Amino acid sequence: WWQRRHQRRWCRAMVASELHYTSDNVAEALRRLPDVSDRQGLPMPEAAGEAGDLAARWQEVMEAAAVNPDLDAASLEQLRAIYNFIEAVIISCGAPDSFEVYEVCFESLTKIGFTLPGVASKELLLKLLEDVHEVYDVLLSCVETYEWVQPGATGLLRLWMLQVLFSVFGNNLSGLILMELMDNDVSGAVSLISFLVRCDQAPFELQSAAGQCLVQLTSADSVFLSKSPEGSEDWQNEQITKLTGMLNRHVNGLIKGLIQFDIVEAFGRCICQHQMSHARTDIIVKYFLTTIHNCLLYCSENQKKLRQHLATQSTIVQDIMIPYVYNILPALYDNPACGPALIEWQNLKATLQTFVVVTFNIN
């Protein structure tokens, strides 16, 4: 999917956010990389170069970047050598449970990706991701399995694996991309989103993107948009019963995932994390309530289970909805231009709609 759908998408939305890393952050990660690799006894091919050269190569790259973010040919060669070493480590690792090695690899790639904004630098990073995409896809699936058996076993690997995508694709990270990454496993996509939203070390931009992806998973686009490079598959000749069945399976899997991976608790943690920022809280609440409301509108076999879960097994009403309403009402009352265009107005409407649907006729 790297080549099919997104090869040039990043250049239309370069990241402008709080996701910043310094050259020292990169240097520290690169210093840890050989040590972690040595502890695992990984054999390095000759093409990977010497691990001891990483610091000097990075120093040369940063000296050139300080003069011009668009690196010259010599500094690009140094950056390519760094990427070759990291790629060699990823490929040679072999064992899917060597999470410490993978974590420092993707941490290094993420920090380099955000530190070097030049087009040529991004192209090199994109090429690396294309070269290791098979390892990436398998690893991401393995991480979800290991986390299910032993929560916390993979550390922050998922965070760095998603951040490196964010450094390349920016705001184009979507629910459809997550579905492709998880091989159309909606439960796996929800698990990944739940981790990012609840992770207090995740940057807000990434948490916001995860919330937006979750909303997108509630739409039919995440089921029927094509995975072919041409754009959209021909659904015209399919029977409506087959299409309905596909949508129902997706929705049921999505709702089961919301319950299984406790999305309510994840968003509750995220709201608490950003409670000092009204703007951030409004964004997180919008994505959360839109997701819940959209899922409750589907007449699926699991819709009632979701309503019962929200009304009787979660604290969504008392811990999220009611405090949020008390919080935004003064802002609405004091605003002479109050109206449907305000996000506070939209969230109040969504809160009341969700409250009515959640609490209606629960046995």
Side-chain angles (χ1 to χ4, degrees):
W1 66 276
W2 302 92
Q3 294 175 318
R4 286 201 312 267
R5 301 180 62 83
H6 311 296
Q7 182 143 9
R8 298 299 173 205
R9 185 173 285 185
W10 58 268
C11 63
R12 298 200 299 269
M14 300 299 285
V15 180
S17 69
E18 296 179 1
L19 279 165
H20 294 302
Y21 296 102
T22 67
S23 61
D24 290 339
N25 296 144
V26 178
E28 189 275 333
L30 291 177
R31 278 195 299 270
R32 283 188 286 114
L33 178 57
D35 295 337
V36 174
S37 302
D38 289 342
R39 285 201 299 270
Q40 294 290 329
L42 299 181
M44 290 292 104
E46 292 184 5
E50 292 294 330
D53 297 338
L54 291 177
R57 293 184 188 280
W58 177 246
Q59 181 65 31
E60 184 172 332
V61 170
M62 286 312 300
E63 289 175 355
V67 177
N68 186 353
D70 294 320
L71 300 179
D72 56 35
S75 53
L76 278 176
E77 281 304 310
Q78 297 296 333
L79 180 60
R80 182 178 286 107
I82 295 173
Y83 281 156
N84 287 342
F85 183 87
I86 297 175
E87 180 180 339
V89 173
I90 294 174
I91 298 298
S92 64
C93 194
D97 59 347
S98 300
F99 299 122
E100 185 182 10
V101 178
Y102 289 121
E103 182 175 333
V104 71
C105 286
F106 285 104
E107 177 187 352
S108 301
L109 293 176
T110 296
K111 292 179 176 179
I112 294 174
F114 282 111
T115 304
L116 299 176
V119 173
S121 304
K122 295 290 186 184
E123 288 180 339
L124 285 180
L125 178 54
L126 183 62
K127 182 181 184 304
L128 183 151
L129 293 174
E130 290 172 352
D131 291 342
V132 303
H133 77 276
E134 292 184 0
V135 176
Y136 186 104
D137 295 346
V138 172
L139 180 59
L140 198 57
S141 299
C142 289
V143 166
E144 295 302 316
T145 303
Y146 275 87
E147 284 293 327
W148 173 251
V149 176
Q150 185 181 353
T154 66
L156 295 176
L157 176 57
R158 288 176 292 180
L159 176 61
W160 295 117
M161 291 182 73
L162 269 294
Q163 274 200 81
V164 72
L165 294 188
F166 205 72
S167 74
V168 176
F169 299 126
N171 293 331
N172 285 310
L173 192 62
S174 67
L176 185 62
I177 290 177
L178 285 187
M179 286 292 289
E180 294 183 7
L181 278 174
M182 302 309 298
D183 196 23
N184 289 322
D185 176 15
V186 66
S187 179
V190 173
S191 173
L192 196 57
I193 290 170
S194 178
F195 166 77
L196 292 174
V197 171
R198 77 171 69 239
C199 180
D200 58 6
Q201 297 187 53
F204 173 74
E205 289 82 2
L206 194 58
Q207 292 175 318
S208 175
Q212 187 175 33
C213 288
L214 189 59
V215 172
Q216 292 168 350
L217 291 182
T218 65
S219 73
D221 286 352
S222 61
V223 183
F224 298 119
L225 279 187
S226 172
K227 304 170 189 61
S228 66
E230 288 75 20
S232 60
E233 200 163 312
D234 181 17
W235 299 107
Q236 301 296 323
N237 297 323
E238 296 289 350
Q239 294 184 351
I240 190 64
T241 52
K242 179 180 178 180
L243 301 180
T244 302
M246 291 175 60
L247 181 59
N248 284 340
R249 283 192 297 274
H250 174 82
V251 171
N252 286 327
L254 175 62
I255 291 176
K256 288 180 180 178
L258 297 181
I259 298 173
Q260 178 181 354
F261 300 109
D262 209 345
I263 283 292
V264 175
E265 191 263 349
F267 273 91
R269 284 176 176 265
C270 190
I271 291 169
C272 290
Q273 179 185 347
H274 300 289
Q275 60 184 325
M276 301 306 294
S277 170
H278 294 302
R280 292 184 174 187
T281 302
D282 287 339
I283 291 172
I284 294 299
V285 169
K286 179 182 73 172
Y287 290 144
F288 171 64
L289 293 178
T290 303
T291 296
I292 297 299
H293 185 253
N294 289 354
C295 287
L296 290 172
L297 290 181
Y298 284 109
C299 296
S300 70
E301 61 188 67
N302 287 312
Q303 188 250 34
K304 186 175 181 180
K305 291 181 181 179
L306 178 60
R307 290 176 56 217
Q308 289 177 328
H309 171 75
L310 295 174
T312 63
Q313 300 172 17
S314 77
T315 57
I316 179 176
V317 175
Q318 61 267 42
D319 286 352
I320 297 180
M321 291 185 176
I322 293 177
Y324 182 73
V325 170
Y326 275 117
N327 191 32
I328 64 173
L329 280 179
L332 292 172
Y333 284 136
D334 296 341
N335 189 343
C338 178
L342 292 181
I343 188 172
E344 292 89 351
W345 178 289
Q346 297 167 9
N347 284 355
L348 177 62
K349 178 182 177 182
T351 301
L352 295 178
Q353 286 177 329
T354 305
F355 178 77
V356 170
V357 177
V358 165
T359 58
F360 178 73
N361 196 26
I362 291 291
N363 296 324

